[in-house]
Amino acid sequence: MSELLLLSAGRGPQECAWALAQLLHRLTADGTGRGLTIQQVQAVPGDRNGTYRSVLIQISGAGAEAFAASWTGTLCWQAPSPYRASTGRKNWYVTAQPPQRDARPTTFVEADVDIVACRTGGPGGQHRNKASTAVRATHRPSGIVVVVDEERQFSLNRRIALQLLRQRIEHGDEAARRAVTTARWRIHDDLVRGDPVRVERPEPQRPGRRG
């Protein structure tokens, strides 16, 4: 079992990109301690070294769904800014949401296409009507239907119909990919500051041992 989780600093200041890196480290340690595997799928680095504007991670293992849910929502990293000593702000917010998964590409196979000879009207179509040279092609998995009567030969119309179906399926796949990308980018704008589901802080430093 595996789950995807997208962590985003939204349009927050550079401290939010730093907070995302700290929260990602904490999340990874928490998941690893529970026997889960945390892998980075994609990452957009921040302006400063070691920071992130967004990170897409995959959580794998037993209990991945419940673990991802426990880290879903607005997350807060509570610590002073490492960049601006003058600011009194200590709460830096990040959002974590399950993204829309990539659309699976459609595999075009001619065996999935129903080809039927038909008659169509129109100028110059009398011969084709009598001979039923037009083609009605239906791609069963997608439900896309095309009708072609450009040529006087059934075989040529069949070839054109298959080409049209392939093109429409490819265009549909491309539109689906764009929709997934758009949906993921919306997550960056959905960051709600305040009322976090989790507040994480740096581990307290242990006093050094005396010799």
Side-chain angles (χ1 to χ4, degrees), residues 56-83:
L56 177 64
I57 61 173
Q58 183 177 45
I59 305 166
S60 305
E65 183 176 359
F67 178 79
S70 72
W71 280 88
T72 297
T74 298
L75 311 176
C76 175
W77 183 254
Q78 196 172 76
S81 168
Y83 311 127

Side-chain angles (χ1 to χ4, degrees), residues 3 6 13 16 29-30 32 48 56 61 78 81 86 90-91 101 120 126 128 167 192 195 203:
E3 296 290 327
L6 177 62
C16 290
D30 185 16
T32 302
R48 292 180 178 265
L56 177 64
Q78 196 172 76
S81 168
S86 59
K90 294 184 178 181
N91 294 328
R101 289 183 176 268
T120 59
Q126 292 182 349
R128 292 196 295 273
Q167 291 173 1
V192 177
D195 195 23
E203 294 288 347

